[in-house]
């Protein structure tokens, strides 16, 4: 190699030296038992250590590796830590990481067969494995992408192009309230407005309710809308729940909807006998998201989309500009099956891992995770101070610490959130938290192939016996939700109610002035006659209503659920932000039983109000939790 002509070149000896030193660093990082599951970084200190212009002259590699170890790799989470039970961990394999090294070092571009015939064929082989495992036909097609978010985006785009073409204001899509936020993000990016995505309630097992889905589809069809697709879960992130896939497939086929299943977490449980049984019906979906960088133990990034009728993927994405005429061939061109033109080889790491270990090793690792989750469930059931909120499903259980009968839900949430924070500080492990039908839950996900029986028991024993640290003052749970932008610069232009009338309503009586001004500037008056319907069940409207005078009846399936009068409110479930600006579909019909005067807030105004008034948010979420259980 003529280094005089190549300012970025290295000799063979230099390549080996850099490679050996880097592998040594990786081995020390992967085998050091003293490293905590999570070490947060101080922003000011990290800016001081890492900021600055790039150097004009070279630095030596050992010094760079030392700074990388200290300042970059120090303050971060260790997803492969045996006590890491938060979120959905990614405990990868070293052969897979070496596959990524090969891919990066050789700059493999698997956009077309011409540019990478061998890697393209390897991706087809890996996709064939995945199709067989989930029961898809051989003529299904797929593509490896960066992760579940990209796979869900690709699936929704394929469904829209197949059934609709260009975006329309008439189409609606349906998801459960346990659906991953990436689906909402994908819907927003594809042009679905906030009233075009129906968030539907789940049952006590956190599975999409079939009656809610058929009711919403019927209501939308009667209103001249076009039901387009259903997104179901096969291993929901919150609880590991699997929606009733066989029944959903029948509904979608009967009514002409696309069924997409997000199996990013749970899909590869199909490698095991019990996992395959839980995933029955997955093979009937029109498209499926999988994440090899989750329960297939591959390095980040590696996701997958499979489409049952394979040609639909190419039909949705193929574009042939003149400048790519020499780039494409008659063989597979993966740039025609997704969003990326230039794309890395994600199949090599999967292929190397499975050939090195054998499929049985991965099957055993998945089975072991499910065994440990069942162990965790039994421990929680047996512990006097722990309460099981969601039983083991795949590798996930949800629970909370109890502190006696006198604590209300908000206090329990704060105390449990403090325990989650304190556990992280020990360095022994990490768990995450979530809300299950409005109840704060500690969520434990067993997935790492490094985790063992004692790791699970040690974590649960800590939560069962440790008292939360003293807290200065009270506050809301440590769970935040997406918010709409501040409304003051937008449509707010003066409301229909004066301050005195607003403060007579119990929900707003204690508002501080900065919160009250949101109501005074944005509230609108609505008057209806007796017998008039204000809200129709399963519709996508999202306004929030407070009764100034009169009374209403709340009905579901024709049955009277409750009656409300002056000072009461309704519509909070749909108005509160579920994520990405979307909210629940209406879960009941509201009809005026007397002449009615209502104070109406748009969802953006309500979002700003609860941001400024946490007490209002707690009241609304508590009410929503109670009402959702009877929806």
């Amino acid at each position: 190699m003529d280094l005089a002509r190549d300012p970025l070149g290295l000799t063979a000896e230099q390549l080996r030296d850099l490679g050996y030193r880097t592998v040594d660093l990786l081995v020390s990082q992967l085998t050091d038992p003293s490293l905590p599951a999570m070490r947060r970084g101080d922003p000011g200190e990290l800016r001081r250590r890492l900021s600055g212009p790039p150097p004009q002259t070279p630095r030596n590699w050992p010094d760079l590796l030392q700074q990388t170890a200290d300042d970059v790799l120090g303050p971060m989470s260790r997803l492969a830590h045996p006590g890491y039970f938060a979120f959905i961990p990614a405990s990868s394999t070293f052969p897979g990481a070496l596959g990524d090294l090969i891919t990066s070092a050789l700059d493999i571009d698997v956009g077309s067969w011409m540019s990478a015939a061998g890697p393209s064929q390897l991706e087809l082989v890996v996709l064939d494995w995945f199709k067989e495992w989930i029961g898809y036909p051989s003529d299904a097609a797929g593509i490896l992408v960066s992760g579940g978010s990209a796979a869900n985006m690709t699936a929704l785009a394929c469904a829209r192009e197949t059934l609709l073409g260009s975006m329309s204001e008439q189409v609606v899509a349906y998801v459960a309230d346990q659906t991953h936020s990436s689906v909402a993000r994908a819907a927003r990016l594809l042009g679905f407005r906030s009233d075009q995505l129906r968030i539907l309630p789940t049952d006590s097992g956190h599975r999409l309710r079939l009656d809610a889905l058929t009711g919403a589809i019927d209501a939308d069809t009667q209103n001249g809308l076009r039901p387009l697709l259903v997104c179901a879960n096969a291993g929901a992130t919150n609880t590991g729940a699997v929606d009733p896939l066989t029944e959903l497939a029948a509904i979608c086929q009967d009514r002409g909807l696309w069924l997409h299943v997000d199996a990013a977490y749970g899909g590869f449980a199909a490698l095991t006998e019990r996992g395959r049984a839980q995933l029955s019906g997955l093979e009937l979906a029109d498209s499926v998201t999988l994440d090899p960088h989750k329960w297939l133990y591959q390095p980040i990034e590696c996701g997958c989309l499979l489409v049952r009728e394979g040609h639909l993927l190419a039909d949705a994405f193929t574009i042939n500009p003149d400048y790519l005429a020499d780039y494409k061939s008659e063989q597979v061109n993966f740039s025609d099956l997704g969003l990326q033109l230039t794309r890395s080889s994600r199949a090599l790491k999967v292929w190397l891992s499975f050939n090195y270990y054998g499929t049985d090793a991965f099957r055993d690792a998945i089975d072991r995770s499910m065994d440990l989750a069942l162990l965790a469930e039994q421990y929680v059931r047996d512990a006097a101070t722990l309460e099981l909120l969601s039983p083991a499903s795949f590798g996930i259980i949800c629970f909370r610490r109890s502190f006696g009968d006198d604590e209300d839900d908000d206090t329990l949430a704060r105390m449990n959130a403090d325990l989650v924070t304190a556990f992280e500080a020990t360095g022994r492990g990490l768990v995450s938290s979530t809300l299950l039908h409005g109840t704060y839950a500690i969520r434990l996900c067993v997935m790492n192939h490094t985790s063992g029986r004692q790791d699970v028991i040690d974590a649960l024993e800590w939560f069962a016996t440790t008292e939360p640290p003293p807290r200065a003052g009270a506050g809301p749970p440590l769970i935040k939700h997406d918010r709409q932008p501040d409304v003051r610069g937008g449509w707010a232009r003066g409301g229909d109610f004066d301050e005195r009338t607003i403060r007579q309503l119990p929900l707003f009586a204690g508002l501080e002035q900065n919160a009250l001004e949101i109501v005074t500037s944005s509230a609108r008056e609505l008057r209806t006659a007796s017998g008039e319907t204000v809200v129709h069940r399963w519709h996508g409207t999202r306004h929030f209503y407070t009764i100034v005078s009169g009374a209403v009846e709340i009905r579901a399936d024709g049955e009277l659920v409750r009656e409300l009068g002056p000072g009461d409110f309704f519509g909070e479930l749909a108005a509160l932000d579920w994520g990405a600006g979307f909210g629940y579909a209406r879960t009941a019909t509201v009809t005026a039983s007397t002449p009615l005067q209502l104070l109406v807030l748009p969802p953006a105004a309500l979002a700003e109000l609860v941001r400024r008034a946490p007490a209002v948010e707690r009241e609304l979420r508590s009410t929503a939790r109670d009402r959702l259980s009877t929806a």
Side-chain angles (χ1 to χ4, degrees):
M1 178 179 292
D2 185 357
L3 298 184
R5 296 179 55 192
D6 183 359
L8 301 179
L10 295 172
T11 66
E13 291 75 17
Q14 288 174 314
L15 289 169
R16 289 191 183 92
D17 180 61
L18 267 62
Y20 291 153
R21 290 179 184 273
T22 303
V23 170
D24 285 343
L25 168 66
L26 293 175
V27 171
S28 68
Q29 290 282 320
L30 290 169
T31 59
D32 185 352
S34 69
L35 293 174
M38 166 74 83
R39 182 182 293 153
R40 295 181 186 263
D42 177 79
E45 180 66 13
L46 288 175
R47 280 194 297 270
R48 186 184 69 79
R49 288 175 173 270
L50 294 172
S51 295
Q56 298 299 311
T57 56
R59 294 176 60 188
N60 70 72
W61 193 247
D63 287 347
L64 282 172
L65 286 182
Q66 188 61 56
Q67 185 180 17
T68 300
D70 295 341
D71 299 340
V72 180
L73 305 182
M76 59 176 263
S77 59
R78 307 281 166 177
L79 300 187
H81 190 286
Y84 193 105
F85 301 122
F87 312 112
I88 305 233
S91 178
S92 66
T93 64
F94 198 62
L98 292 177
D100 270 348
L101 174 61
I102 294 170
T103 296
S104 297
L106 298 181
D107 222 12
I108 300 175
D109 170 20
V110 198
S112 74
W113 183 270
M114 182 209 78
S115 63
S120 293
Q121 181 59 42
L122 205 61
E123 187 159 343
L124 292 173
V125 169
V126 168
L127 291 169
D128 282 342
W129 295 350
F130 295 173
K131 289 187 287 184
E132 180 183 355
W133 294 343
I134 72 166
Y136 254 21
S138 59
D139 59 351
I143 186 170
L144 297 182
V145 294
S146 60
S149 295
N152 286 334
M153 165 72 79
T154 308
L156 266 61
C158 183
R160 190 192 68 181
E161 289 299 306
T162 299
L163 299 182
L164 182 69
S166 59
M167 191 60 188
S168 165
E169 294 185 353
Q170 299 303 110
V171 302
V172 283
Y174 307 88
V175 302
D177 60 18
Q178 300 298 300
T179 297
H180 193 271
S181 60
S182 63
V183 176
R185 185 179 295 112
R188 184 164 67 181
L189 291 174
L190 287 170
F192 286 80
R193 298 189 317 267
S194 62
D195 61 343
Q196 289 181 273
L197 186 68
R198 303 281 184 265
I199 315 301
L200 300 175
T202 49
D203 61 21
S204 59
H206 307 287
R207 295 159 30 111
L208 176 60
R209 282 173 40 188
L210 299 176
D211 66 313
L213 176 63
T214 55
I217 293 173
D218 289 344
D220 288 330
T221 302
Q222 291 167 8
N223 282 296
L225 300 177
R226 167 68 164 95
L228 183 70
L229 66 92
V230 175
C231 182
N233 291 313
T237 300
N238 266 349
T239 64
V242 179
D243 288 330
L245 301 179
T246 301
E247 294 86 346
L248 289 172
I251 291 171
C252 289
Q253 183 173 8
D254 181 58
R255 299 173 185 237
L257 278 73
W258 183 286
L259 176 61
H260 174 64
V261 177
D262 184 351
Y265 165 53
F268 287 115
L271 275 171
T272 71
E273 184 176 348
R274 54 182 156 171
R276 194 175 306 112
Q278 280 186 262
L279 294 167
S280 177
L282 182 61
E283 72 281 0
L284 302 174
D286 294 294
S287 56
V288 175
T289 285
L290 300 166
D291 256 6
H293 69 208
K294 290 187 172 70
W295 225 353
L296 212 58
Y297 302 109
Q298 297 305 304
I300 298 169
E301 301 168 346
C302 191
C304 176
L305 173 69
L306 297 177
V307 177
R308 166 177 271 280
E309 294 186 42
H311 69 92
L312 298 178
L313 199 53
D315 292 347
F317 286 98
T318 300
I319 297 176
N320 290 314
D322 293 339
Y323 55 79
L324 292 180
D326 299 325
Y327 180 75
K328 297 196 178 175
S329 72
E330 295 301 314
Q331 305 302 315
V332 64
N333 299 294
F334 281 104
S335 61
D336 289 338
L337 304 182
L339 302 174
Q340 290 181 274
L341 177 58
T342 304
R343 53 190 301 275
S344 176
S345 173
R346 299 184 175 99
L348 179 58
K349 54 189 171 188
V350 181
W351 185 82
L352 285 173
S353 295
F354 271 79
N355 277 276
Y356 182 81
Y357 289 109
T359 304
D360 285 347
F362 289 89
R363 182 178 293 111
D364 291 345
I366 295 170
D367 255 330
R368 185 164 169 261
S369 294
M370 290 192 279
D371 287 339
L372 291 175
L374 291 170
L375 169 70
E377 177 188 336
Q378 191 59 51
Y379 186 99
V380 171
R381 289 186 185 277
D382 293 340
T385 57
L386 299 180
E387 177 187 356
L388 187 68
L389 298 179
S390 178
S393 181
F394 294 132
I396 299 175
I397 75 158
C398 293
F399 66 98
R400 68 178 175 180
R401 173 73 178 274
S402 57
F403 298 93
D405 297 333
D406 296 333
E407 305 294 352
D408 59 33
D409 280 340
D410 286 340
T411 302
L412 278 174
R414 289 194 295 271
M415 296 173 77
N416 276 271
D418 288 343
L419 281 176
V420 170
T421 302
F423 183 62
E424 176 191 325
T426 69
R428 297 166 53 179
L430 197 72
V431 297
S432 56
S433 63
T434 189
L435 291 177
L436 299 181
H437 290 166
T439 297
Y440 183 96
I442 298 172
R443 181 183 165 283
L444 184 142
C445 179
V446 188
M447 200 176 85
N448 286 344
H449 58 78
T450 62
S451 300
R453 176 186 180 89
Q454 197 58 47
D455 299 305
V456 173
I457 291 175
D458 287 348
L460 292 173
E461 183 178 26
W462 189 94
F463 279 97
T465 59
T466 303
E467 295 300 317
R471 185 174 191 159
L478 300 181
I479 290 185
K480 303 299 180 185
H481 301 270
D482 291 340
R483 298 285 178 237
Q484 295 283 357
D486 192 317
V487 298
R488 287 172 294 177
W491 44 262
R493 60 188 183 278
D496 295 339
F497 293 92
D498 58 32
E499 181 176 323
R500 179 175 175 275
T501 302
I502 293 170
R503 286 203 180 276
Q504 288 177 343
L505 301 171
L507 183 64
F508 307 128
L511 291 180
E512 295 184 1
Q513 193 61 38
N514 73 329
L516 181 66
E517 69 182 25
I518 291 296
V519 185
T520 57
S521 65
S522 58
R524 295 291 178 263
E525 181 185 43
L526 175 65
R527 291 182 178 270
T528 70
S530 178
E532 187 174 342
T533 298
V534 181
V535 168
H536 292 270
R537 194 182 194 200
W538 306 129
H539 283 196
T541 58
R542 295 195 56 207
H543 286 72
F544 172 72
Y545 302 88
T546 305
I547 301 173
V548 179
S549 65
V552 299
E553 292 182 344
I554 314 291
R555 294 182 179 272
D557 294 325
E559 298 293 326
L560 180 64
V561 176
R562 66 184 60 87
E563 296 176 294
L564 302 177
D568 292 329
F569 55 83
F570 60 92
E572 72 291 332
L573 192 61
L576 287 168
D577 192 14
W578 174 80
F582 298 108
Y584 273 88
R586 300 294 189 183
T587 58
T589 296
V590 182
T591 304
S593 52
T594 71
L596 195 61
Q597 181 188 21
L598 296 170
L599 180 153
V600 185
L601 284 177
L606 183 67
E608 180 66 11
L609 174 62
V610 299
R611 187 186 71 82
R612 298 189 189 187
V616 171
E617 179 175 28
R618 289 195 293 273
E619 174 69 15
L620 295 182
R621 293 199 180 279
S622 175
T623 301
R625 180 172 62 243
D626 294 340
R627 292 177 178 174
L628 187 59
S629 65
T630 60

